[in-house]
Amino acid sequence: MTARAGIVVTGTEVLTGRVADRNGPWLAEALRGLGVDVGAVVVVGDRPDDLTAALAFLAGSGVDLVITTGGLGPTADDLTAAVVGDHQGRPSVLDPELEQRIADVVARLSARRGWHTDPAATAAGTAKQAMVPAGATVVEPVGTAPGLVVPVAEGRSGPPVLVLPGPPSELQGMWPAALATEPVRRALAGATELRQSTLRLWGTPESELAATLRRVDDQLAGLEVTTCLRDGELEIVTRYGPDAAPAHARLRAAVEEDFGATLYSDGPTLDELVTVALADAGLRVAVGDSCTAGLVTARLTAPAGASAWLLGGVAAYANSAKEQLLDVPAELIAAHGAVSPEVARTMADGARHRFGADVGIGVTGIAGPGGGTPDKPVGTVHLAVVAPEQVLTRSVVLRGGRDAVRERTTTLVLHLLRELLLGGPPA
């Protein structure tokens, strides 16, 4: 078996959902790239007893390394370093040299940002961050908080604990140095290659895929297969070692055999397929959007270099905006309604002509919760993608609340673009 790790994400703000956990998924993928299997990601609040229980749970699960994130700041709720030290049997002591290095960082930040700080409070916070469990390895701070590698005390058993800061930029910046420490290198010495593959289907129910997996189940030894359905996209994520490559090839062949008409990707995400295709073809897009009010444009601009394929977008919510900015005739809206295939097509034409784009996108719909009628219920969406020699349109009624309709509409637009650019399963 390959090396295994467990992750503890700390912070009541993460536990309650006020802040999304970005560290757990990032660390899990970074570790997988190193051949390290992650057994669990545990989220706990800023309570010492809960953190201690999480550390004990992971240590008892047989992992080779435990990683914590968060709780290294200067405030009273930042308790991770002390709790980890106590759990490993290594009481914390002040490291004067580290204290001075942190003080220098704080002074530079204060001068750069114009902070007016109380010297006594700053000194107390700096001293708190410089408390280091005895025998721990210090990882130099990227912000103000140092990282720590805390081995278990002599006479005890258990894995070392790598303590990392909570801000994702600091954690990711510290990661290479943390991996280079001797205790972490030793803990992960048993890592072997751990491959991961993702097949993406559009419009295939999970029940259909389940039947295929049952049919070839006895040929999939060594594969860890996970399926995820979201917004009509079905992902098949497979993790395996090199010895299981033939089993993975059999799985892929079975999926192609049964679902070749809906298999649209062997790895790249929908967004990657669309933006790479636009860039490779030298095509530029403009968006006229009512239903999502800019989410389509935001998604197309998420990758770096988006100016190569996106000229701009108009969030034309009011009818007057559709008329004045996208050249939708008032008579057309009066005849068919703002939410109609005719208006979506004209919005796409208007965006294309206004921006001088190769491809125009038109989006109009009723996201809810109000505004629906018997003829046009909430979730009614009309889309159009217009290119010089091709026009694709879709009209659907999407289920879910307002946010779900807007997100699913955005995904559907990208599938319509993918269909226009690359073919494959219809959107």
Side-chain angles (χ1 to χ4, degrees):
M1 292 182 62
T2 189
R4 301 182 72 244
I7 300 168
V8 184
V9 178
T10 70
T12 301
E13 69 280 5
V14 181
L15 181 66
T16 58
R18 293 198 307 274
V19 174
D21 174 26
R22 293 167 56 192
N23 290 332
W26 189 90
L27 284 168
E29 179 57 22
L31 288 164
R32 186 204 63 79
L34 297 171
V36 179
D37 187 34
V38 173
V41 178
V42 182
V43 181
V44 299
D46 297 308
R47 295 182 289 267
D49 289 348
D50 291 341
L51 176 54
T52 299
L55 293 169
F57 162 71
L58 291 175
S61 68
V63 298
D64 302 287
L65 177 69
V66 174
I67 302 174
T68 71
T69 77
L72 299 182
T75 58
D77 60 331
D78 293 312
L79 302 168
T80 301
V83 172
V84 169
D86 290 344
H87 179 265
Q88 298 290 79
R90 295 182 177 275
S92 297
V93 295
L94 180 66
D95 183 333
E97 294 182 358
L98 177 60
E99 181 183 24
Q100 184 58 56
R101 295 198 297 275
I102 296 173
D104 292 341
V105 171
V106 172
R108 288 196 300 271
L109 286 174
S110 299
R112 185 185 310 152
R113 299 177 182 177
W115 290 341
H116 299 287
T117 59
D118 176 71
T122 300
T126 300
K128 181 178 181 299
Q129 290 183 290
M131 296 293 291
V132 175
T137 300
V138 174
V139 186
E140 286 301 302
V142 172
T144 62
L148 301 165
V149 187
V150 188
V152 70
E154 292 185 14
R156 297 191 180 195
S157 61
V161 180
L162 170 58
V163 180
L164 296 173
S169 60
E170 293 185 26
L171 180 148
Q172 294 173 26
M174 187 180 290
W175 183 242
L179 290 177
T181 61
E182 177 59 30
V184 172
R185 289 205 313 270
R186 189 165 55 250
L188 302 183
T192 59
E193 183 180 1
L194 185 60
R195 301 177 182 178
Q196 180 167 296
S197 169
T198 304
L199 300 175
R200 306 179 193 276
L201 310 177
W202 173 245
T204 294
E206 279 187 293
S207 57
E208 296 294 317
L209 176 62
T212 296
L213 294 178
R214 285 193 297 270
R215 176 167 60 82
V216 297
D217 183 63
D218 60 344
Q219 304 170 48
L220 305 183
L223 302 185
E224 178 185 331
V225 181
T226 304
T227 62
C228 177
L229 178 65
R230 45 188 179 184
D231 297 342
E233 295 179 313
L234 182 56
E235 294 181 349
I236 311 164
V237 181
T238 310
R239 290 155 56 96
Y240 58 99
D243 292 345
H248 175 257
R250 178 67 188 106
L251 171 64
R252 194 189 189 292
V255 171
E256 284 186 325
E257 178 183 345
D258 291 356
F259 308 109
T262 61
L263 176 64
Y264 75 88
S265 176
D266 185 359
T269 65
L270 171 64
D271 301 58
E272 290 168 343
L273 287 173
V274 167
T275 54
V276 169
L278 287 170
D280 287 347
L283 297 176
R284 307 186 86 180
V285 178
V287 183
D289 180 9
S290 176
C291 181
T292 79
L295 293 182
V296 172
T297 302
R299 191 154 161 184
L300 285 168
T301 57
S307 59
W309 57 80
L310 185 81
L311 289 174
V314 174
Y317 228 58
N319 287 346
S320 57
K322 295 179 179 69
E323 297 165 13
Q324 296 168 21
L325 300 177
L326 296 173
D327 302 322
V328 179
E331 297 80 8
L332 188 72
I333 296 176
H336 301 283
V339 178
S340 62
E342 294 81 2
V343 168
R345 165 65 192 272
T346 307
M347 290 172 69
D349 286 330
R352 181 168 173 255
H353 292 140
R354 282 279 184 163
F355 284 93
D358 303 292
V359 180
I361 297 172
V363 185
T364 183
I366 305 170
T373 66
D375 292 336
K376 297 179 182 180
V378 169
T380 299
V381 175
H382 301 286
L383 311 174
V385 175
V386 178
E389 299 179 357
Q390 190 175 7
V391 176
L392 294 179
T393 61
R394 291 292 183 276
S395 295
V396 296
V397 178
L398 301 173
R399 297 180 179 179
R402 181 177 180 84
D403 289 345
V405 169
R406 284 153 54 93
E407 292 292 342
R408 290 170 182 170
T409 296
T410 304
T411 297
L412 193 54
V413 169
L414 263 70
H415 272 290
L416 207 58
L417 263 178
R418 187 255 314 145
E419 182 184 350
L420 182 140
L421 296 166
L422 300 170

